[in-house]
Amino acid sequence: MPDAIEVRKVPLHTVSDASELGTLIDDGVLDASRVVAIIGKTEGNGGVNDYTRIIADRAFREILVEKGAPAERVREIPIVWSGGTDGVISPHATIFATVPADRAEQSDEPRLTVGFAMSERLLPEEIGYTPMVEKVAAAVRVAMERAGITDPEDVHYVQTKTPLLTIHTIRDAKSRGKTVWTEHTHESMDLSNGCTALGVAVALGEIEMPADEDVMHNRELYSSVASCSSGVELDQAQVVVVGNARGVGGRYRIGHSVMRDALDQDGIWAAIRDAGLDLPDRPHRSDVGGRLVNVFLKCEASLDGRVAGRRNAMLDDSDVHWHRQIKSCVGGVTASVTGDPAVFVSVSAAHQGPEGGGPVAAIVDLGAGEPTGYRPPTG
């Protein structure tokens, strides 16, 4: 049985700042050697050349080593950064760490569990095709097993990071006589995310194995729990499975739902309820009461160019890419629900939730005593 999980969200004061993680370790809240995953937002452009992800990654790994974690183990910790804090979204990191059995709050109810795996190497010519789907699905199954989850229904959030195509990897494929799905590197971000989400959906039994022609085209095929990011810093699928299991103990529980469109606040509230937080019929952010640790969302501009029946110009805008516009919009909607701008909102949600919407996962603190979630300032 896996260990119980402690999960905390910390702000980033600068792009290279990991001081708040250091404070948690110094205060005895977390043990550096027990950190198992970090998922966060950095303030870069969110594009192919967003190097803020690499800067933040280095800062967090360095402080873990400084605080006593073995360097060889720290190199293997999945740290997934989503670049771009457009609008009110605030840079932050959510840290997952195991808790010794004698310190874990005991509970017979389902509580948070985390599992991690890496896929086989993904070749550039596989990105966007069924070999990538198969490799991702295999890694998700391994991560589930490590999390102690046997029923896919107990999986509520699968965060991945996969390679996208760069000029270098496209050239490499061509040198071996191979072709790639696209030679547009920015487009390959959407492609890698979407193909990965199909792999998650296959592993969890949400869909049957798709065909190559389904990728990026058949938007009826999607996962309700996949949150997929891509970048230049790896050549494998990095998979973090987050769900609930009985017997692990701990304070935290996760739930999920989907947003049907960019304004669907009810989808966010549904995820918070699914995690186990009691809410009134018409909830307000004051009802959260410091029990919400974080929410994790993917979003996408609807391909029909409309939200709630009204036309928008995001997909036609040549000045500001739609990635940044929809991220800013959904970030604002989400912060208005939670009362906290430090929310994980990531763009490029092909095959992640319904078209024009996206999946939502919420982690809440159901433990005894003072809750560990964020309380916005008053007055």
Side-chain angles (χ1 to χ4, degrees), residues 265-274 279 283-285 288 337-338:
Q265 292 190 7
D266 289 342
I268 302 172
W269 286 119
I272 297 170
R273 280 196 179 93
D274 190 54
L279 295 168
H284 181 265
R285 63 191 186 191
V288 171
V337 168
T338 65

Side-chain angles (χ1 to χ4, degrees), residues 8-27 30 32 35 38 40-43 52-67 74 79 81 91-95:
R8 295 297 180 98
K9 180 170 64 179
V10 298
L12 273 64
H13 301 297
T14 69
V15 70
S16 60
D17 171 60
S19 62
E20 297 286 355
L21 171 56
T23 298
L24 287 176
I25 296 168
D26 290 343
D27 290 347
L30 305 176
V35 172
I38 298 172
K41 292 291 300 181
T42 66
E43 60 208 75
T52 64
R53 297 180 296 228
I54 297 174
I55 295 169
D57 186 276
R58 178 177 296 176
F60 273 71
R61 293 187 196 276
E62 286 178 350
I63 203 161
L64 288 173
V65 173
E66 177 187 321
K67 298 298 182 180
V74 170
I79 302 182
W81 295 106
H92 69 278
T94 304
I95 301 142

Side-chain angles (χ1 to χ4, degrees), residues 54 74 116 169 241 259-260 265 280 324 334 343 364 369 377:
I54 297 174
V74 170
F116 165 67
T169 58
V241 166
M259 293 178 76
R260 296 291 168 184
Q265 292 190 7
R324 311 201 71 165
T334 306
V343 289
V364 301

